[in-house]
Amino acid sequence: MVLVSTFPRALLQISKKFKPIPSQRYFSTAMSAFLCDHLKQIHSTALKSVNGDTLIKEIISFNKGSMIITRESEIKQFDLNGKDVYLIGSGKGVLGLCLGFLKALERQNASRNDRITITKGIISMPVGIKCHHFDLLERHNITAFFGAKNNLPDEDSVVATNAILDLIDSVIKGETSSRPKVFISLITGGASALLVAPREPLTLTKKRELTQTLMAAGCTINELNSVRSCWSKVKAGQLALRVLSESNNVEMVNLIASDVIGDPMDIIGSGPTVLPPDDSLNPLEIIDMYKISIDEDIRNLCQLVKPSSNIDDRLHNLIIVNNRIALNSITNLMTQLDYKIIDLGNQISGEASTLGSRFAQIARTSEKGEGKICWIGGGETVVTLTTTHGKGGRCQEMALQFLIDTFHDQLTNFAFLAGGTDGQDGPTPISGIIYQYSDRITSEIYDAAKVHLSNHDAYTFWSENLPECMIDTGGPTGVNVMDIYCLLQC
């Protein structure tokens, strides 16, 4: 299948009549040494801007027993007075959102007599997340589970999901009290691998195998989530149905952090709280398009039927974090540093290497004397793997293609960033790459780059040849709002 890259139209019109760059265009490394420092600032600023613990302060407040959610010019208010409140959550960014939520709740409780309490809660997050403030979780009766090592569903994911389902069943079916009930859920990217409850006869091992096959075939995240949804007891709105179908005395408020282009709530985390729209992608068509062979009993699971249960008035889904917030923080930072900003948008997609070439083309054809320019964008690319391949990630592969395409131009006045926000680019321990040409980039390194790119072995290349270019966040960052791309010129 040929993937068509999504890239701003204006940048697709870059002159095809490329001319060699005159030697006077080269800048000394000393003159442009600050570029990589600025890219490091960009990455850290973006991560901080979407950290739930920081962001919740600006979005959620409590007043007289009500939870108030403010997003730009929109305000939503939910009455929690006299209700049993439960909190559940899952994803790479759930801990930050949970801590921010609890701190906002404690600020309310410290200043008023009408205290709001969490009756019980469970959150599920990836292995490797630095879990701090356990005392805060314990004070509010919240238990933390860990799973999905290397962003793949595992038995720990199943245990955590079953714990959440058991909590829901004990509250809804057990009817522990006659008081109205509110479930507040926090859903972020990564929930697809953490909220895991395969439908029989599908096993976790088989589901994981089929997921990896789809990814290797070049399946986009939207397509992948559509297929995984029909194989699960919790995805595609089924978690919400579990909460709301049994009783009219229950309400559900879902706060969602988007890691998907366009913020489609039915795709984020495989949409556990969002009923599938009528025009949902057809899972069987996706499987057949990528020529994936599956057993007939597994194919039979790929028939999603939208439920007729009348729960819409008690189900509330709200996007509170997305990639645009990160890009806006970058714009503010680079404006302060006197850069001209060219915003490429946050819907960049397609083959990672193709996008690397597009950014290289911008650098190779940019006019001299334009001053400091910052091209920024966000999105999520793919890498279509061959049968035999090495180790890498989409950001590493994009940067590797950029290196190859610009090597002969020796563009010391440019630096390029391709970085994830979750701290883990593919099955590797790094977030991405910050690259700038220097005299250290020899012809031997250039030749090695081409070999490693052809083998989709970008991580091996960067770790063996240019480890100083690798972005190491020390593990998962606790946030996840797609990738960010930035090209700087001085």
Side-chain angles (χ1 to χ4, degrees):
M1 177 185 179
V2 177
L3 289 172
V4 178
S5 298
T6 302
F7 213 62
R9 182 177 297 276
L11 293 171
L12 297 179
Q13 308 304 321
I14 296 173
S15 174
K16 297 180 181 179
K17 298 180 180 179
F18 172 73
K19 297 178 180 179
I21 303 170
S23 59
Q24 62 264 31
R25 185 174 167 207
Y26 302 160
F27 284 59
S28 70
T29 302
M31 289 177 63
S32 57
F34 62 87
L35 291 179
C36 286
D37 288 336
H38 285 176
L39 288 177
K40 291 175 184 176
Q41 288 184 56
I42 282 172
H43 194 254
S44 62
T45 297
L47 295 187
K48 184 177 180 180
S49 72
V50 294
N51 181 279
D53 196 1
T54 303
L55 194 67
I56 288 291
K57 297 176 184 177
E58 303 174 8
I59 296 176
I60 296 180
S61 60
F62 295 88
N63 185 37
K64 297 180 180 179
S66 291
M67 177 173 64
I68 303 166
I69 302 174
T70 305
R71 303 171 303 158
E72 298 178 349
S73 60
E74 184 180 11
I75 298 176
K76 296 279 188 180
Q77 186 166 321
F78 301 94
D79 182 16
L80 303 181
N81 278 300
K83 298 178 180 179
D84 293 335
V85 179
Y86 298 87
L87 189 147
I88 57 177
S90 183
K92 295 179 180 179
V94 72
L95 179 61
L97 291 180
C98 184
L99 294 177
F101 182 88
L102 296 179
K103 289 176 183 178
L105 187 61
E106 289 196 342
R107 287 193 293 272
Q108 128 85 21
N109 288 344
S111 61
R112 303 190 61 85
N113 293 325
D114 49 346
R115 295 171 59 85
I116 299 170
T117 61
I118 305 294
T119 304
K120 188 174 177 59
I122 295 175
I123 59 173
S124 171
M125 66 191 88
V127 170
I129 289 282
K130 299 178 183 64
C131 190
H132 51 289
H133 297 303
F134 264 116
D135 57 330
L136 183 58
L137 298 179
E138 290 173 358
R139 279 203 304 275
H140 293 275
N141 306 310
I142 294 173
T143 304
F145 285 80
F146 298 86
K149 186 176 180 180
N150 291 327
N151 200 31
L152 292 172
D154 54 24
E155 293 298 338
D156 290 331
S157 303
V158 175
V159 170
T161 304
N162 286 336
I164 291 174
L165 295 178
D166 288 344
L167 170 61
I168 293 170
D169 291 346
S170 68
V171 173
I172 304 303
K173 297 179 181 179
E175 286 292 343
T176 53
S177 79
S178 60
R179 285 156 50 100
K181 299 169 181 61
V182 177
F183 273 82
I184 297 172
S185 84
L186 310 171
I187 301 296
T188 80
S192 292
L194 285 160
L195 280 176
V196 180
R199 293 172 61 194
E200 295 81 5
L202 189 64
T203 64
L204 175 61
T205 299
K206 185 62 177 178
K207 181 179 179 182
R208 189 163 48 207
E209 178 186 305
L210 290 171
T211 298
Q212 291 174 322
T213 301
L214 285 164
M215 292 171 66
C219 190
T220 69
I221 187 64
N222 289 21
E223 293 167 340
L224 184 63
N225 283 346
S226 292
V227 175
R228 288 191 295 195
S229 293
C230 66
W231 291 339
S232 170
K233 297 176 184 177
V234 291
K235 295 174 171 58
Q238 293 175 86
L239 184 68
L241 289 172
R242 191 93 170 211
V243 172
L244 299 171
S245 292
E246 295 288 331
S247 171
N248 292 326
N249 204 29
V250 185
E251 190 172 13
M252 192 176 197
V253 180
N254 309 298
L255 309 180
I256 301 170
S258 174
D259 68 330
V260 181
I261 288 174
D263 302 337
M265 289 190 287
D266 59 311
I267 296 296
I268 301 164
S270 298
T273 65
V274 183
L275 301 181
D278 294 331
D279 59 350
S280 296
L281 295 173
N282 187 308
L284 281 178
E285 289 181 1
I286 295 168
I287 290 170
D288 293 340
M289 179 172 63
Y290 287 100
K291 297 179 172 59
I292 307 300
S293 177
I294 60 174
D295 296 337
E296 191 62 31
D297 55 353
I298 306 301
R299 287 183 67 89
N300 291 337
L301 296 178
C302 299
Q303 305 291 341
L304 280 180
V305 180
K306 187 172 181 179
S308 58
S309 178
N310 183 21
I311 63 173
D312 289 348
D313 59 336
R314 295 180 288 118
L315 176 62
H316 313 280
N317 291 302
L318 307 170
I319 297 281
I320 62 169
V321 189
N322 60 13
N323 184 266
R324 174 45 60 188
I325 293 175
L327 295 188
N328 288 346
S329 74
I330 296 172
T331 296
N332 293 337
L333 170 68
M334 301 313 283
T335 299
Q336 293 173 17
L337 294 174
D338 297 323
Y339 280 82
K340 174 185 175 182
I341 308 297
I342 300 178
D343 192 332
L344 308 178
N346 63 343
Q347 300 197 23
I348 296 174
S349 65
E351 196 72 34
S353 57
T354 301
L355 271 300
S357 290
R358 293 270 168 80
F359 276 103
Q361 191 178 17
I362 295 172
R364 298 178 70 203
T365 57
S366 179
E367 293 293 329
K368 176 187 173 184
E370 292 288 329
K372 293 162 66 177
I373 303 176
C374 172
W375 289 267
I376 59 169
E380 193 159 281
T381 63
V382 297
V383 174
T384 303
L385 297 175
T386 51
T387 304
T388 58
H389 57 82
K391 184 177 183 180
R394 55 187 182 246
C395 291
Q396 295 164 68
E397 180 144 329
M398 183 187 295
L400 188 54
Q401 185 70 65
F402 181 90
L403 180 157
I404 292 169
D405 287 2
T406 58
F407 170 75
H408 294 295
D409 305 296
Q410 300 181 4
L411 303 178
T412 58
N413 61 318
F414 282 87
F416 180 57
L417 158 69
T421 53
D422 62 0
Q424 194 172 15
D425 183 36
T428 75
I430 67 168
S431 185
I433 298 294
I434 291 175
Y435 170 75
Q436 181 179 23
Y437 177 84
S438 70
D439 293 339
R440 191 160 138 34
I441 316 297
T442 63
S443 58
E444 288 78 11
I445 287 180
Y446 169 69
D447 290 338
K450 291 190 291 183
V451 172
H452 283 287
L453 180 65
S454 66
N455 293 328
H456 299 295
D457 194 26
Y459 178 76
T460 303
F461 169 82
W462 293 110
S463 59
E464 291 182 352
N465 295 280
L466 298 169
E468 67 273 19
C469 294
M470 303 169 87
I471 305 172
D472 185 358
T473 59
T477 60
V479 302
N480 185 26
V481 291
M482 300 194 296
D483 301 333
I484 54 174
Y485 317 114
C486 185
L487 178 66
L488 298 185
Q489 173 183 348
C490 70

